């Protein structure tokens, strides 16, 4: 009960420790404040931007797996400025549909376009074409139950070139018709997905073939018994580390230049990285084996090769299988990415769809990746459980 | 038959494990090495077949200097020297019979080993040796399915495959219970008495050393502190070997 007796249960106050802890705390605050600013973290945009990604998310949730045949009807009338003398309006007709324009020429502020006997309840886009060949959408509206449409709009001013010349006005109606069928996108994606899976398979196989023998040269416990062994060990380790420190995507860029765009470049890129990664994992498996059997078999008068065959290999088979399946898993995931830089596989078409803003098509590729990668994940887990 | 002269071993860490160790082993002896943990018993055994490279000194085996042998000569010498370990050192995932057959590796060409091919004679020999240690019925089990005592018997059968003239046993019963210890020691004793194989065996317990050894060498801090008959170790000698505070415990 007496404070003087025995050491205090409170840690004694130390000014040095207090200042040091304070300094660490201040430094931490400074680091994170700077980090927040330099990476331009802005939670406001995160909230405001939600609306912008809605169409994107809608497209992603609505992948173009099935499609119908697409029908297009296009009607076009000329619109000369200024009006030529005795100009006769030229209405456009197509399969019973008729398009008129009022006025039919000249520098009118407002123009009225009418469509009769078009396809009912279909979205029609009105485009204005300028004399130099460019065009822009001026308005769009749906036809009524009889397939009629009447829209009024401001005549657009050309951004480039003069006003005078032969302008054009065009109505386009697009709709889908006929039975649902598997989309061409899905066919392409499946085709590329098969390529992707085999790309990973080939890369893993080549990786194993090269990594297996080399891994024994990179195992400290086997190699550092003699001088030349030690030299080899350090050289092999150095090469592994260099190869591994270069990312697969960089290798893909290198091989695309080397062997050209296509899956072969992807196979090579994944192979190089797989060799380095597998050899390192294999070497570590060899290093962590029980040294007892090596000692025992060496003591029988066995040669080094025999010692490796009987004391090392039986011990490393289970970890080797586990690491190989793990690598295959990684390669399937990476093979979807090497395509982004031209290494073939699904990534190659995915990046094209994204660049063309065809998000519904991109969605098919992305869903295919999700399905295949998780299936591979499950499969590799299952095999690992059964084999090891 | 085996002469150890002025043997020294200094490990890279600077530990001086053996200091001028000199002794001679006659054919047919059952020599027991005793001493505390870290006294140099294991190092001495491993210096004899050069699993550990001695720093200086010589080991002469039937007139041949093992310490100066080329790698090929060394393998030739090693195959005549069987070795048994405290942890048995079997390849756990391989079947018992394959573990026994590995004792023959010093006699077969490496190319044959690549394909794991063993002649019918070698297989018969392996089965005979397993019968000798009483576990022929376990031949096709995985080594790690066997009990400790059984695993050590597999290790003895493996050593027998070498047709050894000398067996080095490094604490062969230290991982076993007392009853199993005696059964394993009896197999080793039988090899010594019936086959005339010289045995150098390190042991923890002085009682076991007294019971099985024809001669005892005691090590302390890398020095030989005793070399003589088991019955010559009295209380004074015992304290010299194991230190002032030690009390002898018996294992029956």
């Amino acid at each position: 009960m007496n404070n003087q007796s025995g050491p205090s249960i409170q840690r004694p106050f130390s000014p040095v420790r207090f200042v040091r802890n304070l300094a660490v705390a201040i430094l931490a605050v400074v680091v994170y404040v700077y980090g927040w600013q330099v990476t331009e973290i802005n939670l406001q945009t995160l909230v405001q931007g939600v609306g912008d990604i809605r169409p994107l998310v809608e497209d992603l949730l609505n992948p173009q797996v099935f499609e119908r045949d697409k029908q297009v009807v296009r009607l076009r009338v000329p619109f000369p400025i200024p009006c030529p003398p005795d100009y006769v309006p030229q209405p456009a007709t197509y399969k019973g549909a008729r398009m008129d324009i009022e006025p039919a020429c000249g520098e009118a502020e407002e123009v009225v376009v009418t469509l009769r006997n078009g396809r009912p309840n279909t979205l029609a886009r009105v485009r204005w074409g300028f004399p130099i060949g460019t065009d822009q959408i001026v308005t769009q509206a749906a036809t009524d139950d009889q397939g009629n449409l009447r829209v009024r709009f401001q005549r657009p001013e050309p951004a480039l070139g003069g006003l005078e010349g032969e302008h054009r006005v065009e109505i386009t109606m697009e709709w889908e018709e006929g039975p649902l069928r598997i989309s061409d996108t899905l066919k392409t994606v499946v085709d590329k997905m098969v390529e992707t899976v085999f790309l990973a398979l080939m890369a893993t196989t080549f990786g194993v073939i090269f990594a297996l023998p080399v891994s024994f040269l990179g195992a400290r416990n086997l190699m550092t018994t003699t001088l030349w062994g030690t030299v080899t060990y350090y050289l092999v380790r150095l090469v592994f580390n260099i190869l591994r420190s270069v990312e697969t995507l960089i290798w893909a860029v290198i091989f695309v230049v080397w062997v050209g765009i296509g899956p072969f470049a992807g196979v090579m890129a994944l192979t190089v990285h797989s060799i380095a990664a597998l050899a390192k994992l294999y070497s570590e498996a060899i290093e962590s084996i029980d040294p007892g059997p090596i000692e025992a078999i060496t003591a029988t008068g066995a040669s080094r090769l025999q010692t490796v065959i009987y004391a090392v290999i039986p011990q490393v088979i289970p970890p080797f299988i586990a690491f190989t399946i793990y690598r295959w898993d990684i390669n399937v995931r990476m093979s979807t990415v090497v395509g982004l830089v031209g290494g073939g596989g699904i990534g190659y078409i995915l990046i094209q769809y994204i660049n063309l803003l065809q998000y519904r098509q991109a969605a098919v590729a992305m869903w295919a990746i999700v399905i295949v990668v998780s299936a591979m994940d499950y499969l590799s887990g299952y095999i690992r459980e059964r084999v090891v | 038959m085996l002469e150890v002269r002025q043997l020294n071993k200094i490990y890279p860490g600077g530990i001086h494990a053996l200091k001028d160790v000199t002794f001679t082993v006659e054919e047919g002896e059952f020599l027991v090495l005793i001493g505390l943990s870290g006294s140099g018993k294991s190092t001495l055994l491993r210096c004899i077949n050069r699993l550990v490279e001695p720093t200086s000194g010589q080991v002469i085996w039937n007139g041949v200097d093992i310490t100066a042998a080329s790698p090929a000569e060394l393998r030739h010498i090693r195959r005549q020297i069987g070795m048994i370990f405290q942890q048995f050192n079997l390849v756990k995932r391989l079947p018992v019979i394959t573990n026994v057959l590995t004792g023959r590796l010093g006699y077969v060409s490496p190319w044959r080993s690549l394909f794991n091919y063993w002649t019918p004679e070698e297989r018969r020999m392996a089965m005979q040796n397993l019968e000798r240690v009483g576990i022929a019925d376990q031949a096709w089990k995985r080594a790690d399915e066997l009990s400790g005592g059984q695993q050590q018997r597999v290790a003895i059968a493996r050593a027998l495959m070498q047709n050894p003239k000398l067996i080095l046993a490094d604490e062969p019963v230290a991982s076993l219970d007392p009853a199993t210890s005696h059964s394993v020691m009896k197999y080793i004793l039988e090899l010594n008495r019936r086959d005339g194989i010289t045995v150098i065996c390190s042991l923890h317990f002085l009682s076991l050393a007294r019971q099985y050894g024809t001669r005892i060498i005691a090590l302390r801090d890398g020095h030989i502190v005793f070399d003589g008959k088991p019955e010559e170790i009295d209380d004074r000698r015992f304290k010299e070997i194991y230190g002032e505070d030690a009390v002898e415990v018996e294992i029956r």
Side-chain angles (χ1 to χ4, degrees), chain B residues 34 206 209-210 213-218 225-241 248:
Chain B
I34 58 170
L206 188 55
R210 285 201 167 110
T214 58
R215 177 183 166 197
I216 290 179
I217 286 180
V225 292
F226 173 84
D227 183 351
K229 295 239 170 301
E231 51 274 20
E232 290 169 30
I233 299 182
D234 51 20
D235 270 2
R236 189 182 58 80
R237 288 244 162 79
F238 179 80
K239 290 206 188 305
E240 271 177 27
I241 299 164
E248 186 171 354

Side-chain angles (χ1 to χ4, degrees), chain A residues 73 75 94-99 114-120 143-144 146-149 173:
Chain A
V73 167
L75 295 148
Y94 179 78
K95 287 185 182 172
R98 177 190 160 104
M99 173 187 177
T114 44
L115 176 71
R116 257 168 259 136
N117 285 328
R119 187 171 184 270
T143 52
D144 63 12
Q146 281 76 47
N148 296 337
L149 177 75
M173 282 188 294

Side-chain angles (χ1 to χ4, degrees), chain A residues 370-385:
Chain A
V370 169
I371 290 166
V372 169
V373 167
S374 31
M376 284 292 174
D377 207 52
Y378 176 79
L379 184 70
S380 70
Y382 177 78
I383 295 175
R384 197 160 32 207
E385 232 167 64

Side-chain angles (χ1 to χ4, degrees), chain A residues 58-84:
Chain A
E58 276 169 6
D59 281 350
L60 283 183
L61 293 178
N62 186 16
Q64 195 181 47
V65 179
F66 301 105
E67 65 188 5
R68 290 189 163 91
D69 287 331
K70 193 166 271 183
Q71 301 288 328
V72 181
V73 167
R74 207 170 263 129
L75 295 148
R76 180 192 287 171
V77 293
F79 191 91
I81 300 178
C83 265

Side-chain angles (χ1 to χ4, degrees), chain B residues 36-52:
Chain B
L36 291 169
S37 300
S39 59
K41 305 186 297 284
S42 291
T43 304
L44 175 56
L45 286 170
R46 282 170 171 72
C47 280
I48 291 172
N49 64 2
R50 272 176 63 191
L51 285 181
V52 168

Side-chain angles (χ1 to χ4, degrees), chain A residues 200 203-204 208 244 270 273-274 276-282 284 318-335 373 376-385 387-388:
Chain A
T204 311
V208 169
R244 215 158 36 83
L270 287 175
H273 203 258
S274 294
L278 278 178
K280 184 177 177 345
L281 290 173
Y282 288 172
E284 275 162 12
F320 275 26
I321 291 175
F323 287 139
T324 307
I325 294 172
Y326 171 63
R327 189 70 222 175
W328 185 37
D329 212 53
I330 293 176
N331 279 346
V332 170
R333 257 174 289 148
M334 285 308 296
S335 61
V373 167
M376 284 292 174
D377 207 52
Y378 176 79
L379 184 70
S380 70
Y382 177 78
I383 295 175
R384 197 160 32 207
E385 232 167 64
V387 177
V388 184

Side-chain angles (χ1 to χ4, degrees), chain B residues 140-169:
Chain B
W140 293 101
K141 281 194 178 169
R142 258 171 66 150
D144 56 3
E145 290 176 48
L146 271 55
S147 70
Q150 289 174 325
Q151 289 194 35
Q152 195 61 295
R153 279 142 74 186
V154 175
I156 293 172
R158 175 172 67 190
L160 282 173
M161 290 297 284
Q162 295 174 240
N163 281 336
K165 298 196 175 62
L166 171 68
I167 283 185
L168 306 172

Side-chain angles (χ1 to χ4, degrees), chain B residues 35-96:
Chain B
L36 291 169
S37 300
S39 59
K41 305 186 297 284
S42 291
T43 304
L44 175 56
L45 286 170
R46 282 170 171 72
C47 280
I48 291 172
N49 64 2
R50 272 176 63 191
L51 285 181
V52 168
E53 244 4 279
T55 310
S56 67
Q58 287 174 307
V59 179
I60 314 289
W61 160 261
N62 291 330
V64 180
D65 186 354
I66 296 180
T67 45
S70 70
E73 287 168 340
L74 179 63
R75 283 203 296 276
H76 210 262
I77 295 165
R78 273 178 180 162
R79 69 184 196 189
Q80 304 171 61
I81 304 177
M83 193 158 187
I84 298 165
F85 302 83
Q86 179 181 348
Q87 297 300 335
F88 328 130
N89 289 356
L90 302 180
V91 184
K92 294 189 176 67
R93 288 174 48 84
L94 292 182
V96 165

